[in-house]
């Protein structure tokens, strides 16, 4: 998913450069670039979230973990497991909350843009939010299980 997001970033970059060149040198901007870029930012974030969770590069304040790490490895893993469990719950709720709008976009063939000028269906973007959230929830579950295994290993020693 992250690779798709990376390619998408490159494609958006090319589209924006083409729009700027077309607008400034030829007086012919590309219609819909602002709308595509705006929707793409959200989609790219949700595509890259699961990889960030699994690689432990998701931004968080770790000052408490650094202090705790010096005193208790088990406590650090316990806090990590709690963080991952809360993340799994929150992203599962995001996926569940986004699903009704996604299903509605499917039923009504929802689009964005200006009818008759330029339109794009919203369904792919909404599906990315749902699947990205669900994948992030699963990634947090994997992370929580890894922390649980670390806790069990620290007990066995």
């Amino acid at each position: 998913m992250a690779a798709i997001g990376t390619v998408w970033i490159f494609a958006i970059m090319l589209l924006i450069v083409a729009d700027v060149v077309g607008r400034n040198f030829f007086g012919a901007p590309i219609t819909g670039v602002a709308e595509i870029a705006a929707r793409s930012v959200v989609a790219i974030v949700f595509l890259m979230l699961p990889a960030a969770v699994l690689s432990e590069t998701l931004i968080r304040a770790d000052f408490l973990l650094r202090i705790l790490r010096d005193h208790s490895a088990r406590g650090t893993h316990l806090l990590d497991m709690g963080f991952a469990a809360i993340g799994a719950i929150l992203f599962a709720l995001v996926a569940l909350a986004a699903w009704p709008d996604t299903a509605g976009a499917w039923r009504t063939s929802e689009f964005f843009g200006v009818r008759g000028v330029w339109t794009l269906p919203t369904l792919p973007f909404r599906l990315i939010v749902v699947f990205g959230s669900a994948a992030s929830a699963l990634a947090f579950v994997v992370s929580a299980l890894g922390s649980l295994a670390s806790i069990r290993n620290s007990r066995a020693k």
Side-chain angles (χ1 to χ4, degrees), residues 79-134:
L79 191 58
D80 266 337
M81 188 176 75
F83 172 76
I86 291 169
I89 292 167
L90 289 176
F91 276 100
L93 289 173
V94 169
L96 289 172
W99 179 250
D101 288 338
T102 304
W106 171 264
R107 282 191 309 273
T108 64
S109 298
E110 181 182 57
F111 64 90
F112 65 93
V114 179
R115 190 178 296 223
V117 176
W118 180 88
T119 60
L120 190 66
T122 62
L123 182 64
F125 297 95
R126 291 188 183 278
L127 279 173
I128 289 170
V129 171
V130 170
F131 287 127
S133 298

Side-chain angles (χ1 to χ4, degrees), residues 56-63 65 69 79-80 83-84 143:
E56 297 180 359
T57 56
L58 191 64
I59 296 174
R60 65 180 178 176
D62 65 348
F63 65 92
L65 284 174
R69 191 175 298 131
L79 191 58
D80 266 337
F83 172 76
S143 179

Side-chain angles (χ1 to χ4, degrees), residues 10-91:
F10 186 72
I12 289 297
M13 179 190 69
L14 290 177
L15 182 64
I16 291 170
V17 169
D19 181 50
V20 169
V21 169
R23 181 181 310 267
N24 291 323
F25 293 112
F26 303 111
I30 300 172
T31 306
V33 171
E35 291 86 356
I36 292 171
R39 297 283 178 149
S40 292
V41 169
V42 174
I44 290 166
V45 166
F46 278 92
L47 282 171
M48 293 190 154
L49 268 170
V53 172
L54 290 174
S55 65
E56 297 180 359
T57 56
L58 191 64
I59 296 174
R60 65 180 178 176
D62 65 348
F63 65 92
L64 184 58
L65 284 174
R66 281 187 271 144
I67 293 169
L68 193 58
R69 191 175 298 131
D70 295 336
H71 302 292
S72 170
R74 186 171 175 243
T76 303
H77 294 305
L78 191 61
L79 191 58
D80 266 337
M81 188 176 75
F83 172 76
I86 291 169
I89 292 167
L90 289 176
F91 276 100

